[in-house]
Amino acid sequence: MANQGGSIANETLAKQLEALTARLAILEGRCAELSGHPRGNSPSIVGEKKETSGLATPQGKTYEPWQVKVVTNKRDPDSEGGTRKDFEETKLDSGKSSRQGAAAILRRFFNEDSASTKEQVTGSEIEILDEHLRDLLRRLLAHHPTHDFYGDPAKIESPYESLVMNWDLLIAESEKKQENNGDEIARKALGQILKLLQENTGDSKLDDYFKDRDSLITSKSITFNTLWTIFPPGTIVYGRPYLKCHEVFIVEDIYTTWPEPDDRDWELACWTYDWDGRAFRRRPITCEG
């Protein structure tokens, strides 16, 4: 009877081990599917902490957390109604990326085409996906009334006034020493987008400005077409709008970026303090140039 009891116990144990082995095989298969490794070559499950920077991209491509993903928005030739769609244009160096996840910035170019014209870029926008970069830009550009770095994601459109007007400030910030991981991601992402904007903005007038920017700074001059680039909100200016007396004003905003060819005047929205007989009051004023 003892031998029979031992045999039954061994059979029960064998069945339990078989069932456990089957369950482990299923778990390993699921782990392989989630991690992107082929089944049978999945990494060790026990004690492993997989480092990721976000959700995997639909295309399965990998990005460092500070990289920029570039897409072109145009009509899909395979759709019946010519629906617009994002087509990825990002070209990553082979072997450069080691983390699977989302990029910090999405850069989108808009293409238009018709029967009479060839496909051409008509504008662009940037979506700030990384929260560390949004926080950094909110802090640096708090003085800019239209910085638009709120929301998830935050979005800005060409000609990127808040970035262009504060270009030197942003360049200096991107080159600072990083203090922590989030700070490193934000500054690297900022440096990346500034570099890419210098190469191609999707705005022909802004591209021309970046080509001439260094020579304009060296000669301490500015063109009428690019006047808006040197008056970020908060800038102190002076003029003589009343009785030819010098007065100091603070720039609030610009009315327009690129002036029309027939424009002869250029206007700035400013404000100043004025005495009303009882107290100093903030008063808006338009400065013309």
Side-chain angles (χ1 to χ4, degrees):
M1 292 294 293
N3 290 337
Q4 184 178 0
S7 176
I8 294 174
N10 289 337
E11 290 178 3
T12 302
L13 181 60
K15 289 181 180 180
Q16 290 176 343
L17 289 174
E18 183 179 357
L20 182 59
T21 303
R23 291 182 63 187
L24 284 174
I26 294 173
L27 289 174
E28 287 178 351
R30 290 178 179 175
C31 180
E33 292 173 359
L34 292 174
S35 62
H37 292 274
R39 188 168 181 174
N41 294 317
S42 57
S44 174
I45 301 173
V46 180
E48 182 183 17
K49 185 176 181 181
K50 187 174 179 62
E51 185 177 12
T52 61
S53 59
L55 298 176
T57 60
Q59 296 82 3
K61 292 190 177 180
T62 57
Y63 296 91
E64 294 292 346
W66 45 265
Q67 283 185 311
V68 179
K69 178 179 178 180
V70 182
V71 300
T72 298
N73 184 275
K74 57 185 177 181
R75 299 191 185 281
D76 185 359
D78 297 329
S79 65
E80 293 183 1
T83 305
R84 299 190 68 87
K85 179 181 176 182
D86 285 346
F87 293 86
E88 187 169 2
E89 306 291 344
T90 312
K91 294 180 176 60
L92 299 174
D93 295 337
S94 177
K96 184 176 181 179
S97 298
S98 59
R99 307 181 190 183
Q100 188 175 37
I105 299 169
L106 175 67
R107 191 172 181 214
R108 180 180 289 110
F109 290 96
F110 292 97
N111 279 16
E112 291 291 346
D113 58 359
S114 65
S116 58
T117 61
K118 292 183 178 180
E119 188 175 284
Q120 58 181 350
V121 177
T122 58
S124 65
E125 67 181 18
I126 292 172
E127 290 186 19
I128 310 298
L129 307 175
D130 182 75
E131 61 177 337
H132 302 293
L133 179 56
R134 288 199 299 271
D135 291 341
L136 177 64
L137 290 172
R138 276 198 297 267
R139 177 172 59 83
L140 294 174
L141 304 178
H143 61 284
H144 206 286
T146 57
H147 61 64
D148 296 330
F149 297 116
Y150 294 97
D152 184 12
K155 186 183 297 185
I156 51 176
E157 300 177 351
S158 58
Y160 309 111
E161 293 101 316
S162 57
L163 302 184
V164 174
M165 288 179 172
N166 300 278
W167 193 262
D168 292 336
L169 169 68
L170 298 177
I171 287 288
E173 188 69 23
S174 70
E175 295 173 349
K176 285 184 178 179
K177 183 179 179 180
Q178 296 84 12
E179 298 177 356
N180 51 57
N181 186 52
D183 191 56
E184 180 182 9
I185 292 172
R187 285 194 167 90
K188 279 190 174 182
L190 178 60
Q192 277 287 99
I193 197 59
L194 295 178
K195 178 182 177 181
L196 290 175
L197 283 178
Q198 284 182 300
E199 297 173 355
N200 181 17
T201 66
D203 183 326
S204 59
K205 294 178 181 178
L206 191 56
D207 287 338
D208 290 339
Y209 162 74
F210 277 120
K211 291 177 183 177
D212 300 333
R213 187 175 187 274
D214 289 342
S215 61
L216 290 172
I217 292 174
T218 301
S219 62
K220 297 182 179 180
S221 59
I222 196 71
T223 64
F224 178 71
N225 198 40
T226 57
L227 265 175
W228 65 272
T229 65
I230 62 173
F231 290 105
T235 301
I236 296 177
V237 297
Y238 78 92
R240 297 184 297 176
Y242 303 113
L243 302 176
K244 295 184 178 181
C245 295
H246 290 280
E247 290 189 60
V248 174
F249 308 97
I250 297 177
V251 176
E252 182 176 5
D253 204 355
I254 54 173
Y255 284 112
T256 184
T257 50
W258 310 118
E260 297 295 329
D262 56 347
D263 286 346
R264 296 184 179 276
D265 296 320
W266 191 77
E267 299 177 333
L268 270 178
C270 300
W271 59 272
T272 187
Y273 284 106
D274 198 12
W275 178 256
D276 65 359
R278 299 180 60 185
F280 281 103
R281 306 286 184 185
R282 183 168 170 166
R283 179 170 60 86
I285 185 172
T286 298
C287 295
E288 299 180 354

